[in-house]
Amino acid sequence: MKRLVTAFLIGFAAIGTANAAEDEAVALAQAFCGLAELDQGMGRMYLLSSGLTEKVTAALVAGGQGETAFGAGVPWASGDAAANICTAGAVASEGGVTLVDVIYGQGDAGWTDQLVLVAGEGGALVVDDIRYGKPGEAATLGEAASALLTG
């Protein structure tokens, strides 16, 4: 009986941990959405990992003379139109990272990107990349920044 209770408590604790991690991922995605209007989305830079921040910053300054290599600005989302709907979606784990869907909408159009989250300094989740479009497609913010820098 003691083993059964111990197994139950360990299982219950694991569920609590998983829910806490999922809650943190959803909160980060909601913050990501909320920062869309702040300084043309540049407030989102505070949510990025140091590695992604370096790539995006380098691409921003690569244009010179006040222009960015990104052209119209950092491509925070895969959709062409400015979304009037942005909300957190499903959370999953893959290969040691946490993935959270970000669901966008504009009129009748809608699309979903994924934030790739990793533990940053102090263990808090940070955005290590943004996967554009459907899961499994190769295009990401990190790849877009790297492509601009390499040419």
Side-chain angles (χ1 to χ4, degrees):
M1 181 68 166
K2 184 176 181 181
R3 287 184 187 171
L4 181 61
V5 170
T6 301
F8 175 77
L9 291 175
I10 290 171
F12 187 73
I15 290 170
T17 302
N19 287 340
E22 188 172 312
D23 290 347
E24 183 181 2
V26 168
L28 183 60
Q30 289 171 332
F32 184 84
C33 287
L35 290 170
E37 299 300 318
L38 180 64
D39 196 20
Q40 298 176 336
M42 293 306 292
R44 291 173 168 170
M45 291 288 287
Y46 294 105
L47 304 177
L48 305 184
S49 66
S50 59
L52 187 57
T53 297
E54 289 175 17
K55 285 181 185 178
V56 170
T57 300
L60 284 170
V61 299
Q65 298 180 356
E67 297 179 11
T68 75
F70 286 121
V74 178
W76 296 111
S78 61
D80 292 333
N84 61 358
I85 297 170
C86 181
T87 187
V91 178
S93 293
E94 177 185 289
V97 300
T98 301
L99 304 173
V100 60
D101 290 347
V102 177
I103 303 164
Y104 296 98
Q106 175 67 31
D108 293 335
W111 65 95
T112 301
D113 294 340
Q114 279 187 326
L115 301 181
V116 179
L117 309 179
V118 297
E121 291 183 34
L125 290 177
V126 293
V127 178
D128 197 45
D129 213 345
I130 301 170
R131 292 181 180 173
Y132 299 140
K134 297 178 182 176
E137 291 180 358
T140 70
L141 175 58
E143 289 174 3
S146 293
L148 289 170
L149 295 171
T150 58

